Amino acid sequence: MKHAHSVMSEAFNLAGLTPSAFLRRHWQKKPLLARGALTECAGIVQPATLIALAGRDDLESRLVRRDGRRWRVRHGPFDPREFRRLPRAGWTLLVQGVNHALPAAQRLLDRFAFIPYARLDDLMVSYAPPGGGVGPHYDSYDVFLLQGEGRRRWRTSAQRDLALVENAPLRILRRFRPTREWVVRPGDLLYLPPRCAHDGIALSDCVTYSIGFRAPDARELGARFLEFLQDELDLDGIYADRGLRPARRPAWLADDMVRGLLAMLRRIRWSDADAVRFLGSYLTEPKGHVRFTRPRRPLTERAFAAQAARRGVRLAGPTRMLFRDRTVYINGEAHALAARAAGTLSRLADRRALPPLVRPDRETVRMLYQWYRAGYLAIGDE
């Protein structure tokens, strides 16, 4: 099945560039500042909301403070009362995965659908009073930094010296040499490619949205693929050495034994289809802290189908969903489907929602109901 339908993200100002031109000129190449790119999204998260989200155990949160040259990091969840005792300057609260909790945050991510979901990580939101920041650093992935309320000064550098401060709780650059500087205001959008050194300092009470794009590490990818193969192995038999003769050198790893064991190892096989199935599952696997809320009183399958036919369905905030050919991948699971169901569910993956379902096929209803029971999706609008 080819991808017969495309999804166009809602256009916004990328400094006068189309998404194609941006990807060609800047993506993974050089920074871009787009003034007033998303002013309508600047206020979707208020500081009080972020502080409340930092108290949840299904979202990752950090509190970063700097005292002179010393950096301190604490991990949440946090009691909201803690923030009343903090000084008026010099700290930052960061909350990861805000799109899992707030539909408006997910809609912000949807604006970046011109980049494949397989690359999208999540939305991190930070709040800082004047002087707050996390120090000069670099990321190994692409990131868009959208300014919410307040002002922030960003400095960047194309330096190749990426040595870090030893024993610091954050990845702080030892020698940061900025070459460019901007002051950003609500709605301004700064794109930074991987390994671009940067430092952001809040000039006023400041909210910043970080739209990050994952870049799997080759070593981690290889290790996880080997784990996948381990679960898929179908090897039988045991090493045998009939006709063994008395050993003259008992510590010698004999040629016959090496040949026999290598023959067993050579029976390990995988195909491109195995690798693709691994990639789809790996790229949709939720992070360890993510929780899915199951319905307290789930509908019967017939009642669910009736509701979906009238109101449609939508993916839950934490759900990750991809597809390739007739296989859909959702939250680490792979499902090979018939053509009709695959076509419907690939549209769900693309758009993260389906309108009211008119006479859906049985397989589609069965899969949707299974995911509804698991908390992967819900009925109707937000």
Side-chain angles (χ1 to χ4, degrees), residues 27-29 119 138-143 191-197 215:
W27 182 253
Q28 300 214 316
K29 296 182 181 74
R119 288 283 268 115
Y138 70 93
D139 298 313
S140 300
Y141 49 82
D142 305 87
V143 64
Y191 164 74
L192 298 176
R195 301 176 75 82
C196 176

Side-chain angles (χ1 to χ4, degrees), residues 111-140:
R111 305 291 290 272
F112 294 84
F114 60 91
I115 299 169
Y117 290 156
R119 288 283 268 115
L120 182 63
D121 190 358
D122 62 8
L123 180 70
M124 182 179 73
V125 183
S126 68
Y127 166 71
V134 297
H137 64 285
Y138 70 93
D139 298 313
S140 300

